[in-house]
Amino acid sequence: MGEPLEAPFWEKGLRVAGLDEAGRGAWAGPIVVGAVILPPGRYPFRDSKKLSPKERERLAGEVRRVALAFALGVAGVEEVDRLGVLEATLLAAERALKGLRLPPQALVTDYLPLPTSLPLLAPPKADERSPTVAAASILAKVHRDGLMAELDRLYPGYGFARHKGYGTPEHQEALLALGPSPVHRKRFAPVAQAPLRFPQDP
């Protein structure tokens, strides 16, 4: 990973929280943001998208073991529809930060411009250059995958446990056959254009 992005903060003795999200581009399900504070050091954490489910589960346990603090923030489907993806992601990030048992003194995110008075680094692909962001991405992905598996049991037929709500051909076919479920994001064009066949929430 080379020199960690947070190294200059660590050298100043600052507690750094890394944040990353899972689910921003999905057609269904919540957005989840992880926040992690690690002690200075070298870590094996990598972008969660490049890990197998088994590797993510194992590394999630390692993150929880070594972290000084960690938390998750969730924005539900109704909040994504009401606020839009970016604002819902910022809301989930705010919830994650509030959940940390230690207050951070600097932040690193994966291209997420948080409104904050703290020192902030938010470059693209930070999850490839920051162990704290990579750790946050792992926790967020593992948690959201678990939520999507539960939604698959509640709303069978869409394949949520497999594609996690993202726009795959299987998901598109299910939308056309079944119509949107209550956990689909109505703002997204493929959902908005799908025929209404599923009993909607009142």
Side-chain angles (χ1 to χ4, degrees):
M1 190 178 279
E3 180 79 344
L5 279 175
E6 51 273 82
F9 294 143
W10 282 343
E11 289 167 4
K12 295 177 182 176
L14 299 178
R15 281 190 305 272
V16 183
L19 291 93
D20 203 6
E21 54 74 29
R24 279 185 76 174
W27 295 353
I31 293 172
V32 177
V33 173
V36 175
I37 299 176
L38 296 174
R42 296 282 177 172
Y43 299 94
F45 309 136
R46 295 188 294 134
D47 174 11
S48 64
K49 295 185 290 295
K50 298 180 179 179
L51 299 169
S52 70
K54 185 176 288 188
E55 287 176 313
R56 280 196 296 267
E57 288 283 354
R58 180 180 64 81
L59 288 173
E62 184 68 8
V63 171
R64 290 188 284 265
R65 185 182 71 82
V66 302
L68 299 174
F70 61 88
L72 293 160
V74 179
V77 173
E78 66 289 342
E79 291 172 320
V80 178
D81 279 337
R82 178 166 50 86
L83 301 172
V85 170
L86 176 58
E87 289 301 319
T89 304
L90 293 175
L91 178 60
E94 179 184 349
R95 289 168 175 166
L97 285 171
K98 285 182 177 177
L100 291 171
R101 67 180 186 84
L102 292 173
Q105 297 164 316
L107 304 173
V108 182
T109 75
D110 187 19
Y111 208 50
L112 184 63
L114 294 176
T116 179
S117 59
L118 297 175
L120 170 68
L121 290 176
K125 297 186 177 178
D127 48 8
E128 298 177 5
R129 303 162 56 200
S130 163
T132 54
V133 173
S137 80
I138 290 168
L139 292 190
K141 175 69 173 162
V142 167
H143 185 70
R144 187 177 186 277
D145 283 0
L147 294 178
M148 294 309 295
E150 179 60 28
L151 291 179
D152 188 60
R153 288 188 285 272
L154 292 173
Y155 303 102
Y158 293 97
F160 289 147
R162 290 185 294 279
H163 54 64
K164 309 301 188 292
Y166 286 92
T168 65
E170 176 194 7
H171 195 176
Q172 180 74 63
E173 289 174 12
L175 263 178
L176 293 175
L178 301 174
S181 75
V183 295
H184 276 95
R185 300 176 186 175
K186 299 172 183 63
R187 277 178 172 247
F188 282 51
V191 177
Q193 294 163 7
L196 293 176
R197 295 197 177 97
F198 197 98
Q200 299 296 301
D201 285 345

